[in-house]
Amino acid sequence: MQYPIGRFQLPTAESAATNRHEYVTAIATLPEKFASAALEVRSLQRLDRRYRAGGWTARQVIHHLTDSHVNAYVRHRRILTEDHPTLIPYDEKKWAELNDVSTVPIEVSLDTLRGLHRRWSALLTSCTDDEWQRTAHHGGAGVDYRLDQLAAQYTWHGRHHLGHLRLILDE
């Protein structure tokens, strides 16, 4: 239940290069799939249900995905504009406990996600082969990523949290 679609596996450089179009498409289409599941969760009055014991509530998952993907978009832009930047981690668990998560309607995060993903997919669509190969170092994970590998990770991340909402819907 913690990993409804399995754990993320960092693709090789060759695999990431082959699947770039898939990543862009997944990033472009995630907001509507995610919003559909989120609004169904809300209609069933399950926003405060957890997908597993000790896991986040649906409300936290919805706001977290937007928080995380805002950071992802900035990370992608930094890779494109800086020479091998160090990506700064953040405490996502503490962010999920901040007051705005419990007080701001989920539609705010869903609207933000739609606009963000529209810009993000447009940015990635315009990347050249050389830009896709630009790199960054993730300070928290201690891993170097190419831009296409990072896009693969966030493609997985969106599907991962969509899986959490589907677990709540299947209860």
Side-chain angles (χ1 to χ4, degrees), residues 39-147:
L39 295 173
E40 188 175 349
V41 165
R42 187 190 62 195
S43 74
L44 295 172
Q45 299 180 356
R46 295 180 181 173
L47 281 176
D48 294 313
R49 285 202 186 162
R50 298 177 188 282
Y51 60 90
R52 69 175 174 88
W56 286 337
T57 65
R59 183 184 316 274
Q60 287 173 307
V61 168
I62 293 162
H63 289 300
H64 160 74
L65 189 72
T66 300
D67 290 342
S68 176
H69 287 199
V70 165
N71 277 285
Y73 177 65
V74 170
R75 289 171 176 175
H76 280 77
R77 292 177 68 84
R78 288 191 62 214
I79 291 170
L80 289 167
T81 60
E82 300 174 29
D83 185 31
H84 195 68
T86 296
L87 307 177
I88 309 300
Y90 68 99
D91 191 333
E92 63 185 32
K93 291 177 184 172
K94 286 185 180 177
W95 282 40
E97 295 170 0
L98 289 172
N99 189 47
D100 64 324
V101 171
S102 61
T103 60
V104 173
I106 63 167
E107 288 80 8
V108 173
S109 281
L110 296 175
D111 288 344
T112 301
L113 197 68
R114 285 181 184 103
L116 176 68
H117 276 241
R118 186 169 181 183
R119 287 193 60 193
W120 191 6
S121 62
L123 176 72
L124 294 179
T125 297
S126 70
C127 286
T128 65
D129 282 341
D130 287 343
E131 288 172 325
W132 276 111
Q133 294 177 49
R134 293 181 61 86
T135 61
H137 178 74
H138 191 290
V143 175
D144 286 344
Y145 288 98
R146 284 176 23 151
L147 185 70

